Amino acid sequence: MMVRFFTQLDHKMGLLLNATALISSLLLVGLMLFLVAARYIFGWSIVGLLEMIMVFGMWLYMVGGLIASRKREHLVVDFVQTNIHDARMRRLHQGLVSLITLLITLFFVYLSYRMLKWGMRRPQHTPGLSIPLWVPQSAILFASVGCALYSLRDLIQCALGIFPDDQQTTSDQEVQ
């Protein structure tokens, strides 16, 4: 029952993240094309356009990192893991990596929260459109909280002995 709930929640979160990335990408590319056309074809200088591009770019970058974390496709150094052939030792290694990742992401949550809190107490705005700087900074907090939750998911799955990669590893060993 709980597994189904979390699976459905993960699926819905994936759809939301993908939609956010797609919308941010389209807005980013569209605004960049408009900026180039406005400047070099029409000779217009549109105040604040780069600021809007920066906001969408920040959200796209942070959501992209969160999507990679969700799919376990973020950057990893797997030299040690690929050289561990004992399944129990591999699980212990994955648990240790998950725990370290959780602690680091919790530290980033703390830092990004403090940054956002500071930005709201001492508000600064972009010069053209007066966009509060906490708008792009909130993307950092969003991504750090999401990555912390996904690393917690990985730690729990490791503790329960649930590994999405185990089926692939087992079938790879059977082929050899």
Side-chain angles (χ1 to χ4, degrees), residues 111-127:
L111 291 177
S112 60
Y113 170 75
R114 295 238 0 231
M115 177 186 64
L116 189 62
K117 185 177 169 184
W118 179 83
M120 293 180 101
R121 261 199 328 244
R122 292 178 175 75
Q124 297 179 4
H125 300 83
T126 60

Side-chain angles (χ1 to χ4, degrees), residues 86-116:
D86 181 44
R88 184 168 184 248
M89 287 303 293
R90 183 178 288 136
R91 285 189 177 135
L92 287 173
H93 176 263
Q94 287 174 337
L96 180 62
V97 168
S98 297
L99 179 62
I100 291 169
T101 304
L102 177 62
L103 294 174
I104 291 170
T105 55
L106 288 174
F107 181 62
F108 282 134
V109 168
Y110 171 73
L111 291 177
S112 60
Y113 170 75
R114 295 238 0 231
M115 177 186 64
L116 189 62

